[in-house]
């Protein structure tokens, strides 16, 4: 047995059980002391069948985890504490403390490690340990397997603490350290299968202690058997401090022996001195022949029962002062601290065994503890004066209770009796006034009476003398009661103040709250996390495996006390001596101080890990960014293919479509990729500014010729860019020119169109094609419009509006001379059409016949003079709009549904023009053919148009024939 098992057997023996009974119960309960006690207590009134059932339940719970209780290892999955799935999510934010990875039901151990790490004194010592190859050889050759693992545990803990300080990850991986946690026999401990996290804590701290000693004192355990040494130390402690006393001490009172018990302990190592305390237990029996006993015990944790206790002091007092009834004798047990550790740890037992349901049960009662506690009342040197202190304290408590009970007598159903007397007196005084004045009022029913308003009731028929006597009595009662209540309230306030001041004499040993390990869930399932205070910066942080965040003190205490609606409560509470706290409060920050403690070799190791992590992070980011870019590229490619199908020219929508339409596929893909990069890159970089890593990642999906253009293509790219912008400008001008035509703003229309016709290509090769194509489109629209004007002039003349008809013929003359090639068949056909129309309307022209003839003659002679030549002009509104074209992002993919962009304006205008002038478009197509077929075909076509569109044409097209 190790020292903890020995202690547990002795504890049960002192409660009246034999060694065999104690060993049997502890083995059944997997060495859980609390459960063993419950098991033994339950044996008295249970059948063998019930005992077997209890054993079965306890055996089933061995796969569970708890603090002195059963706790199922399968932790609940809490949505807020899921492990990060991407490298980017694992990146640490600034100097925020980092978490620990849960490697399989290690949430409690992670919480405990965090508590150690955030103790500066532990960090200082761990980082000061030397790790030499010579020392390692000595340890591995001369020490036991357990000592060797403990040594490795400390080395890995040192590395882990360095990573927890300087790592750029959100959490550190404790796997290497946990792998070296072994049991007493040197076998690797299965952390997730531990049935008792009290034993996890004790076992872990034992290995930490052994590891420290293996490094600081490597030869100590070379020839020793640690198991024999533990028993030897335990037995030696009992021999030294037990009941075997000299004759001189036989008559010495027990409490004086406690008070004079040794306190000058030699150092047992850093961990033992910091975390382990010494206590003595006195046993007094009511049998005078039974000798009183004193034994010394070592402790790491103080177990506190929550049942029947509201706060830490109450539970601690019962844990250190209790009675054991063996059936024959009653033994009074008292414990006193002879050596207080700098770090004082309490284990709060919230799970107990439920005999009725034959199952463990978690207690959710509220249990509080102070942010600062004082251990003076439990220290051995105060043993003799403590009984008097307790008597005085109990007297004050009884006085307080008595006063509170007395004050309750002056309350009735929650209301003050003094106020009742006052209301009654006022009521009687009102009656006396009514009686004196001889007033008679109807009596109000009792249910409707408000005692605060006695004037609601009239006279009750009492004599004035009787009323006067009643008033006098009520006044005396009211005054006496008021003075009595006031006096007792003052006494109660003074008593409460005296109770508060009673402990001021016991404040020599202050401890401050450092860590709280919280359990969330029920007895058979849940999750552990911790709240730890940064004493340097005065912040509280929540550590839930890899998740760390700053929290308020209100939240910490609310969850720890168990007063929230969540099923959360403290299972372990750790305090630190104020002397150790004050030593760190002058430091600027925990991070900076810890960083200064780490040896250079570990800093280099962490830096290498950080570099590796950043490379992985950058690769992951680049991969994710590359995927986003590729997805965006695919959408553009689908859009491109949809827009290049058919006869509609959508090159105004985007530069890639423009390139595709002009058979430059490499430039098309390059610009789409550039567009995707700028859209998805956080810095909105262009494809030419990418870092080599991202460029390399993209090269796996795209041909390198697309990502990096050769010089010749770079030049072509600049040419195409200029051509694209000119294409936008030309299309915008055409929009304005045609719009003016349709709005009958003929002068603006013709001057704007002439500006387009006069434009020369500023970009060689490609722009020549684009410009000529746009001019051909514009020529086509003007020729159709010419057919419309000719028809319109004919309509005016037929309807006797000769002047307007001549004006239309004049406009037609300008359009023909300027925009219809003189050598074309269309030019000749239109001239013959005008002559044919002239012959039909000649009789109506009158004085205008000469003017009509002159216009036809000028067309026939192809005579373009200053008078009929249209000059180009760029109007101010058009100029402003053209300047805005240059600010359109080159790779902006315009929405084809948007009627305000250039594509929308251009297509809307040309489509509207065609819909409006469709009949004349048909005439224009016929006139484009040979004139010899005109008689038959035009008549047939015009007759069909007339039948369908006569109402909207505003012209009898048959007059053209």
């Amino acid at each position: 047995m190790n020292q903890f098992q020995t202690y547990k057997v002795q504890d049960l023996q002192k409660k009246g059980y034999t060694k065999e009974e104690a060993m049997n119960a502890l083995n059944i309960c997997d060495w859980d002391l609390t459960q063993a006690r419950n098991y033994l207590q339950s044996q008295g009134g249970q059948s063998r069948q019930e005992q077997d059932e209890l054993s079965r339940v306890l055996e089933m719970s061995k796969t569970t985890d708890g603090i002195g209780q059963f706790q199922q290892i399968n932790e609940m999955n809490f949505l807020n504490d899921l492990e990060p799935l991407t490298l980017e999510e694992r990146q640490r934010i600034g100097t925020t403390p980092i978490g620990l990875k849960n490697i399989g039901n290690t949430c409690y151990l992670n919480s405990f490690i965090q508590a150690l790490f955030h103790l500066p004194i532990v960090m200082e010592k761990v980082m000061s340990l030397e790790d030499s190859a010579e020392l390692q050889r000595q340890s591995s050759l001369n020490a036991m397997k357990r000592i060797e693992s403990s040594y490795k545990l400390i080395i890995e803990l040192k590395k882990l603490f360095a990573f927890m300080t300087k790592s750029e990850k959100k959490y550190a991986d404790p796997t290497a350290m946990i792998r070296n946690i072994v049991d007493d026999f040197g076998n690797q401990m299965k952390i997730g299968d531990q049935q008792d996290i009290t034993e996890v804590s004790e076992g872990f701290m034992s290995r930490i202690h052994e590891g420290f000693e293996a490094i600081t004192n490597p030869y100590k355990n070379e020839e020793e058997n640690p198991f024999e040494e533990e028993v030897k130390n335990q037995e030696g402690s009992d021999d030294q401090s037990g009941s075997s006393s000299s004759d001189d001490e036989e008559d010495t009172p027990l409490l004086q022996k406690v008070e004079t018990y040794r306190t000058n302990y030699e150092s047992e190592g850093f961990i033992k001195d910091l975390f382990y305390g010494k206590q003595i237990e006195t046993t007094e029996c009511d049998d005078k022949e039974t000798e009183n006993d004193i034994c010394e015990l070592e402790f790491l944790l103080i177990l506190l029962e929550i049942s029947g206790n509201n706060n830490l002091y109450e539970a601690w007092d019962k844990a250190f002062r209790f009675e054991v009834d063996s059936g024959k004798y009653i033994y009074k047990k008292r414990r006193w601290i002879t050596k207080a550790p700098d770090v004082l740890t309490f284990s709060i037992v919230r799970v107990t065994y439920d005999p009725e349901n034959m199952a463990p049960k978690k207690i959710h009662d509220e249990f509080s503890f102070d942010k600062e506690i004082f251990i003076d009342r439990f220290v051995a040197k105060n043993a003799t004066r403590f009984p008097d202190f307790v008597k005085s304290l109990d007297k004050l408590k009884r006085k307080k209770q008595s006063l509170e009970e007395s004050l309750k007598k002056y309350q009735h159903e929650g209301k003050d009796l003094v106020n009742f007397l006052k209301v009654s007196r006022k009521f009687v005084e009102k009656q006396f006034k009514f009686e004196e004045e001889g007033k008679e009022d109807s009596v109000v029913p009792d249910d409707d009476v408000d005692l605060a308003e006695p004037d609601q009731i009239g006279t009750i028929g009492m004599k004035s003398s009787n009323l006067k006597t009643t008033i006098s009595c009520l006044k005396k009662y009211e005054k006496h009661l008021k003075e009595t209540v006031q006096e007792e309230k003052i006494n109660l306030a003074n008593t409460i103040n005296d109770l508060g001041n009673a402990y001021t004499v016991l404040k020599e040993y202050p401890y401050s709250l450092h860590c709280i390990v919280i359990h969330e869930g029920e007895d058979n399932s849940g999750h552990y996390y911790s709240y730890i205070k940064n004493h340097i910066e005065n912040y509280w942080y929540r550590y839930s495996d890899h998740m760390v965040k700053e929290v308020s003190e209100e939240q910490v205490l609310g969850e720890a006390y168990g007063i929230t609606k969540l099923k959360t409560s403290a299972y372990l509470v750790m305090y630190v001596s104020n002397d150790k706290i004050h030593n760190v409060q002058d430091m600027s920050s925990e991070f900076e101080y810890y960083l200064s403690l780490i040896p250079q070799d570990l800093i280099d190791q962490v830096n290498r890990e950080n570099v590796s992590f950043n490379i992985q992070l950058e690769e992951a980011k680049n991969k994710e960014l590359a995927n986003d870019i590729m997805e965006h590229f695919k959408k553009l490619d689908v859009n491109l293919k949809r827009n290049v199908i058919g006869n509609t020219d959508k090159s105004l929508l985007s530069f890639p479509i423009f390139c595709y339409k002009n058979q430059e596929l490499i430039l098309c893909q390059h610009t789409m990729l550039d567009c995707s990069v700028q859209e998805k890159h956080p810095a909105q970089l262009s494809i030419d500014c990418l870092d080599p890593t991202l460029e390399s990642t993209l090269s796996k999906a795209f041909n390198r010729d697309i990502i990096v253009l050769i010089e010749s293509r770079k030049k072509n790219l600049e040419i195409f860019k200029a051509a694209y912008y000119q294409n936008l400008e030309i299309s915008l001008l055409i929009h304005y020119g045609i719009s003016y035509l349709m709005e009958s703003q003929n002068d603006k229309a013709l001057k704007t169109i002439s500006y387009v016709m006069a434009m020369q290509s500023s970009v060689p090769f490609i722009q020549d094609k684009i410009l000529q194509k746009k001019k051909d489109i514009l020529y086509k629209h003007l020729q159709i419009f010419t057919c419309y004007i000719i028809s319109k002039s004919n309509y005016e003349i037929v309807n006797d509006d000769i002047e307007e008809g001549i004006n239309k013929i004049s406009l037609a003359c300008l359009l023909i001379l300027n925009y219809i090639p003189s050598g074309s068949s269309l030019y000749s056909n239109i001239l013959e059409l005008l002559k044919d129309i002239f012959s039909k309307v000649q009789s109506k022209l009158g004085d205008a016949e000469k003017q009509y003839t002159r216009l036809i003659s000028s067309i026939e002679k192809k005579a373009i003079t200053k008078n009929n030549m249209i000059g180009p002009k760029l109007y101010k509104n058009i100029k402003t709009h053209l300047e805005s074209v240059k600010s359109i992002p080159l790779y902006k993919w315009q929405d084809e549904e948007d009627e305000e962009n250039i594509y929308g304006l251009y297509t809307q205008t040309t489509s509207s023009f065609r819909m409006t002038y469709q009949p004349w478009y048909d005439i224009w197509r016929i006139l484009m053919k040979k004139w010899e077929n005109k008689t038959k075909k035009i008549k047939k076509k015009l007759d069909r148009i007339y039948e369908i569109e006569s109402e909207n044409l505003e012209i009898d097209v048959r007059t053209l024939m």
Side-chain angles (χ1 to χ4, degrees):
M1 292 188 297
N2 62 32
Q3 68 183 67
F4 302 109
Q5 293 170 332
T6 302
Y7 160 72
K8 291 175 182 180
V9 171
Q10 290 178 347
D11 185 275
L12 293 176
Q13 283 182 285
K14 289 170 185 175
K15 290 177 172 54
Y17 300 108
T18 66
K19 184 175 181 179
E20 290 73 19
E21 288 174 335
M23 290 285 291
N24 179 56
L26 287 167
N27 281 321
I28 289 176
C29 299
D30 215 357
W31 291 90
D32 185 304
L33 182 58
T34 303
Q35 296 297 333
R37 287 174 185 164
N38 292 333
Y39 172 75
L40 288 169
Q41 290 171 5
S42 67
Q43 295 305 294
Q46 289 182 323
S47 65
R48 184 64 191 171
Q49 182 180 1
E50 290 173 330
Q51 294 175 22
D52 292 343
E53 178 65 18
L54 174 61
S55 299
R56 184 186 67 78
V57 171
L58 294 174
E59 286 295 330
M60 288 176 63
S61 65
K62 286 184 179 181
T63 59
T64 61
D65 182 305
I67 293 184
Q69 51 219 343
F70 303 106
Q71 182 63 46
Q72 197 174 43
I73 276 302
N74 294 326
E75 299 172 341
M76 297 169 66
N77 292 322
F78 290 88
L79 296 178
N80 292 335
D81 295 320
L82 293 176
E83 180 162 342
L85 300 177
T86 66
L87 280 170
E88 189 173 357
E89 290 175 327
R90 299 174 198 171
Q91 190 172 19
R92 184 179 184 178
I93 302 172
T95 58
T96 300
I98 69 174
L100 291 171
K101 183 180 180 181
N102 189 323
I103 60 173
N105 303 315
T106 57
C107 55
Y108 171 75
L109 189 59
N110 284 348
S111 297
F112 201 85
I113 294 169
Q114 289 281 13
L116 298 183
F117 172 72
H118 290 284
L119 286 170
I121 188 172
V122 175
M123 182 68 175
E124 291 168 4
K125 189 65 176 179
V126 169
M127 289 302 154
S128 68
L129 295 175
E130 296 292 336
D131 174 21
S132 65
E134 181 182 1
L135 175 61
Q136 191 166 359
R137 284 197 300 272
Q138 290 173 350
S139 294
S140 62
L141 290 173
N142 301 316
M144 296 176 59
K145 180 181 177 182
R146 182 182 72 173
I147 303 299
E148 181 182 356
S149 295
S150 297
Y151 166 79
K152 292 178 180 178
L153 172 66
I154 297 302
I155 300 306
E156 293 300 333
L157 182 67
K158 184 177 180 180
K159 292 178 183 177
L160 180 63
F161 279 9
F163 276 89
M164 290 172 71
T165 301
K166 191 171 170 52
S167 175
E168 294 181 10
K169 292 181 181 179
K170 186 177 287 185
Y171 64 87
D173 188 346
T175 303
M177 188 213 70
I178 292 176
R179 192 182 293 125
N180 287 289
I181 302 177
V182 296
D183 60 19
D184 293 334
F185 303 97
N187 300 316
Q188 186 173 342
M189 188 181 292
K190 296 180 180 180
I191 300 298
D193 292 340
Q194 283 298 314
Q195 74 282 1
D196 184 351
I197 63 174
T198 300
E199 292 192 6
V200 172
S201 306
E202 292 172 342
F204 178 62
M205 291 305 294
S206 293
R207 302 295 85 82
I208 293 290
H209 165 65
E210 289 175 348
F212 267 90
E213 293 305 295
I215 294 176
T216 57
N217 193 2
Y219 302 102
K220 178 179 178 181
N221 294 308
E222 273 188 22
E223 305 299 333
E224 295 177 354
N225 184 327
F227 300 104
E228 292 179 358
E229 184 66 20
E230 286 169 357
V231 176
K232 179 181 176 183
N233 288 340
Q234 182 67 41
E235 292 173 352
S237 172
D238 291 344
D239 291 341
Q240 180 181 357
S241 57
S243 60
S244 300
S245 56
S246 65
D247 294 338
D248 295 336
E249 295 177 339
E250 284 182 0
D251 297 329
T252 305
L254 187 60
L255 288 180
Q256 288 185 16
K257 290 182 181 180
V258 170
E259 196 168 64
T260 57
Y261 198 87
R262 64 175 182 140
T263 57
N264 56 334
Y265 295 91
E266 293 183 2
S267 173
E268 297 181 71
F270 172 74
I271 293 296
K272 288 273 188 177
D273 294 344
L274 186 64
F275 291 95
Y276 288 78
K278 300 286 187 181
Q279 64 185 10
I280 54 175
E281 183 178 273
T282 65
T283 304
E284 295 180 271
C285 182
D286 57 359
D287 179 22
K288 295 182 179 179
E289 295 182 2
T290 303
E291 189 176 2
N292 295 333
D293 181 39
I294 297 180
C295 66
E296 182 180 285
L297 303 170
E298 183 181 68
F299 68 91
L300 171 68
L301 305 174
I302 298 175
L303 272 65
L304 302 179
E305 297 281 351
I306 191 175
S307 298
N309 301 310
N310 296 322
N311 58 64
L312 183 141
Y313 282 123
E314 287 183 11
W316 193 357
D317 190 69
K318 290 181 181 178
F320 271 36
R321 295 168 180 83
F322 56 95
E323 294 182 352
V324 177
D325 187 353
S326 66
K328 184 177 181 181
Y329 300 111
I330 295 177
Y331 297 89
K332 290 183 178 180
K333 300 279 188 176
R334 300 290 184 270
R335 291 176 182 170
W336 302 90
I337 295 174
T338 55
K339 172 186 171 291
D342 289 320
V343 179
L344 188 62
T345 309
F346 297 92
S347 174
I348 302 173
V349 182
R350 278 191 173 269
V351 174
T352 186
Y353 178 73
D354 184 359
E356 293 184 6
N357 297 317
M358 300 294 289
K361 175 184 177 183
K362 181 177 178 181
I363 303 171
H364 289 286
D365 296 345
E366 181 180 343
F367 184 84
S368 63
F369 41 86
D370 296 337
K371 292 182 287 184
E372 184 178 53
I373 62 172
F374 299 88
I375 69 170
D376 301 62
R377 68 188 77 175
F378 305 104
V379 175
K381 79 170 193 175
N382 294 324
T384 56
R385 66 171 178 160
F386 189 74
D388 293 334
F389 172 79
V390 170
K391 289 178 183 178
S392 175
L393 198 64
D394 287 343
K395 185 178 179 180
L396 286 172
K397 287 180 178 178
R398 286 194 298 271
K399 183 180 179 181
K400 174 177 174 286
Q401 184 177 1
S402 175
L403 288 169
E404 288 174 341
E405 292 295 328
S406 179
L407 284 170
K408 286 181 181 178
K409 294 187 298 184
Y410 305 120
Q411 300 285 326
H412 178 69
E413 295 182 354
K415 295 183 179 180
D416 190 354
L417 287 179
V418 175
N419 188 52
F420 269 114
L421 289 172
K422 184 178 179 181
V423 171
S424 300
R425 175 177 55 81
K426 286 186 175 182
F427 172 73
V428 177
E429 286 174 345
K430 190 72 174 180
Q431 293 300 315
F432 179 74
K433 183 178 179 183
F434 286 155
E435 191 67 30
E436 286 291 308
E437 295 178 358
K439 294 183 178 179
E440 294 184 3
D441 295 318
S442 59
V443 177
V444 181
D446 290 344
D447 292 342
D448 298 332
V449 173
D450 184 353
L451 290 180
E453 300 291 340
D455 56 353
Q456 292 184 36
I457 304 177
T459 179
I460 58 176
M462 287 182 67
K463 293 182 179 180
S464 298
S465 58
N466 292 338
L467 290 172
K468 197 171 183 180
T469 302
T470 303
I471 292 170
S472 177
C473 290
L474 287 173
K475 280 185 177 180
K476 288 180 180 180
Y477 283 134
E478 182 184 343
K479 181 181 179 183
H480 174 73
L481 190 58
K482 189 174 182 180
E483 289 174 352
T484 303
V485 170
Q486 185 64 25
E487 182 180 352
E488 292 195 3
K489 283 183 177 180
I490 292 172
N491 287 337
L492 178 60
N494 292 334
T495 303
I496 293 172
N497 187 55
D498 291 341
L499 273 171
N501 294 330
Y503 290 102
T504 57
V505 296
L506 295 176
K507 290 190 176 181
E508 186 180 348
Y509 302 100
Y511 282 72
S512 293
L513 186 58
H514 169 64
C515 169
I516 308 168
V517 177
I518 302 288
H519 178 262
E520 182 176 16
E522 288 293 349
D523 59 281
N524 61 349
S525 62
H527 174 64
Y528 291 102
Y529 57 92
S530 60
Y531 288 115
I532 301 174
K533 187 173 184 179
N534 181 327
H535 296 281
I536 298 176
E537 300 166 46
N538 200 31
Y539 294 138
W540 279 97
Y541 284 94
R542 182 181 190 268
Y543 296 85
S544 179
D545 293 330
H546 62 271
M547 301 294 289
V548 179
K549 65 178 181 178
E550 186 181 340
V551 292
S552 67
E553 188 172 82
E554 181 182 5
Q555 178 182 340
V556 173
L557 298 180
E559 292 187 17
Y561 293 169
I563 60 178
T564 64
K565 292 182 179 180
L566 301 172
K567 294 181 178 180
T568 61
S569 50
Y571 268 36
L572 186 135
V573 183
M574 186 179 288
Y575 286 87
V576 181
S577 169
N578 280 9
D579 292 339
K580 301 301 179 184
I581 297 294
H582 294 154
N583 290 341
V584 302
Q585 287 181 338
D586 294 335
M587 303 170 187
S588 59
S589 76
E590 184 181 85
F591 174 77
E592 294 296 335
Y593 178 62
Y594 277 23
L595 200 59
S596 68
L597 299 174
I598 304 175
Q600 188 59 46
D601 62 322
L602 277 181
I603 289 179
D604 294 340
Q605 185 176 343
V606 179
N607 284 340
R608 287 193 294 272
E609 180 68 23
N610 287 339
V611 170
S612 175
F613 172 69
N614 285 324
I615 291 174
Q616 293 178 29
L617 183 62
E618 194 64 29
E619 288 175 350
K621 286 181 178 179
N622 284 334
K623 186 176 180 180
E624 184 178 358
L625 179 57
N627 288 335
D628 290 343
I629 290 170
M630 286 186 282
E631 287 300 316
H632 191 267
F633 179 88
K634 288 177 183 177
K635 290 179 181 178
L636 293 182
D637 191 52
V638 170
N639 201 3
L640 172 77
K641 290 174 180 176
R642 185 179 72 245
N643 285 310
V644 297
I645 297 172
N647 297 322
T648 306
D649 181 12
K650 295 186 178 180
S651 60
L652 296 173
L653 282 175
S654 72
F655 183 58
I657 296 178
F658 179 80
C659 294
Y660 188 92
K661 284 285 189 177
N662 288 280
Q663 287 85 44
E664 191 54 69
L665 300 184
I666 296 294
L667 290 184
C668 171
Q669 292 180 318
H670 175 82
T671 51
M672 282 199 299
L673 183 57
D674 196 5
C675 176
S676 300
V677 169
Q678 293 187 50
E679 182 71 25
K680 294 299 179 180
H681 200 287
Q684 296 182 324
L685 297 179
S686 68
I687 197 170
D688 300 326
C689 303
L690 296 181
D691 60 87
T693 308
L694 180 56
E695 185 178 305
S696 175
T697 306
L698 288 173
S699 296
K700 297 174 183 178
F702 297 96
N703 191 309
R704 187 163 180 80
D705 290 343
I706 296 173
I707 300 173
V708 181
L709 297 177
I710 60 177
E711 287 301 319
S712 60
R713 283 207 176 94
K714 286 182 180 179
K715 292 179 181 178
N716 280 348
L717 179 62
E718 295 305 315
I719 292 172
F720 271 78
K721 285 179 182 179
Y724 175 66
Y725 281 118
Q726 282 201 354
N727 187 30
L728 293 177
E729 292 172 353
I730 294 167
S731 301
L732 185 61
L733 288 168
I734 292 174
H735 153 71
Y736 276 108
I738 294 176
S739 296
Y740 287 147
L741 278 179
M742 296 175 68
E743 294 167 4
S744 298
Q745 299 184 51
N746 298 327
D747 187 57
K748 279 189 174 183
L750 297 179
K751 289 184 180 296
T752 301
I753 291 169
S754 293
Y755 187 90
V756 176
M757 298 305 183
M759 287 180 69
Q760 298 295 320
S761 174
S762 60
V763 183
F765 179 61
I766 183 169
Q767 181 59 16
D768 287 339
K769 297 179 180 179
I770 295 171
L771 187 60
Q772 189 56 51
K773 185 177 180 181
K774 291 290 182 180
K775 286 183 177 181
D776 290 345
I777 292 171
L778 190 53
Y779 277 128
K780 175 181 173 181
H781 283 78
L782 289 170
Q783 292 163 6
I784 294 169
F785 189 73
T786 302
C787 294
Y788 163 73
I789 291 298
I790 292 172
S791 302
K792 195 70 174 173
S793 67
N794 177 62
Y795 173 81
E796 302 295 351
I797 294 171
V798 168
N799 286 281
D800 297 323
D801 192 347
I802 307 301
E803 183 178 356
E804 186 59 32
I806 295 300
N807 289 337
K808 291 288 190 295
I809 289 295
S810 299
L811 177 59
C813 181
L814 287 174
L815 293 169
I816 294 167
L817 291 173
N818 284 277
Y819 303 123
I820 298 178
S822 59
S824 66
S825 60
L826 177 62
Y827 193 94
S828 303
N829 292 342
I830 285 180
L831 180 60
E832 290 196 34
L833 178 61
L834 284 172
K835 289 179 179 179
D836 190 50
I837 291 173
F838 174 72
S839 64
K840 296 186 182 299
V841 299
Q842 187 175 6
S843 60
K844 285 183 170 284
L845 290 175
D847 295 338
E849 183 179 346
K850 291 181 180 179
Q851 188 178 358
Y852 199 124
T853 306
R854 192 165 52 250
L855 289 170
I856 292 176
S857 176
S858 64
I859 294 171
E860 191 174 20
K861 294 177 180 178
K862 304 164 191 172
I864 300 178
T865 63
K866 264 189 175 184
N867 294 329
N868 53 30
M869 183 179 291
I870 303 171
K873 183 177 180 180
L874 194 60
Y875 292 91
K876 186 176 181 181
N877 63 317
I878 302 176
K879 187 176 181 181
T880 303
H881 202 162
L882 282 174
E883 290 174 354
S884 69
V885 171
K886 298 174 183 177
S887 64
I888 296 174
L890 184 65
Y891 304 125
K892 180 177 174 61
W893 203 287
Q894 300 185 65
D895 182 8
E896 63 179 288
E897 302 296 329
D898 184 2
E899 296 181 359
E900 298 301 318
N901 59 40
I902 294 178
Y903 171 81
L905 293 172
Y906 178 80
T907 53
Q908 181 69 20
T909 302
T910 52
S911 298
S912 177
F913 181 89
R914 177 164 179 172
M915 289 177 64
T916 304
Y917 302 106
Q918 180 66 39
W920 293 276
Y921 172 74
D922 294 331
I923 294 172
W924 170 80
R925 285 200 313 172
I926 295 169
L927 292 174
M928 288 287 287
K929 297 179 180 179
K930 291 185 179 180
W931 185 251
E932 290 78 36
N933 299 323
K934 83 169 180 71
T935 304
K936 185 187 296 183
K937 291 187 177 180
I938 285 187
K939 186 175 187 310
K940 182 178 180 182
K941 187 70 175 178
L942 292 180
D943 284 345
R944 186 175 69 82
I945 291 173
Y946 176 75
E947 291 170 4
I948 298 172
E949 303 287 352
S950 59
E951 292 184 5
N952 297 324
L953 292 178
E954 299 180 349
I955 182 173
D956 185 353
V957 294
R958 287 176 293 187
T959 58
L960 294 172
M961 307 308 298

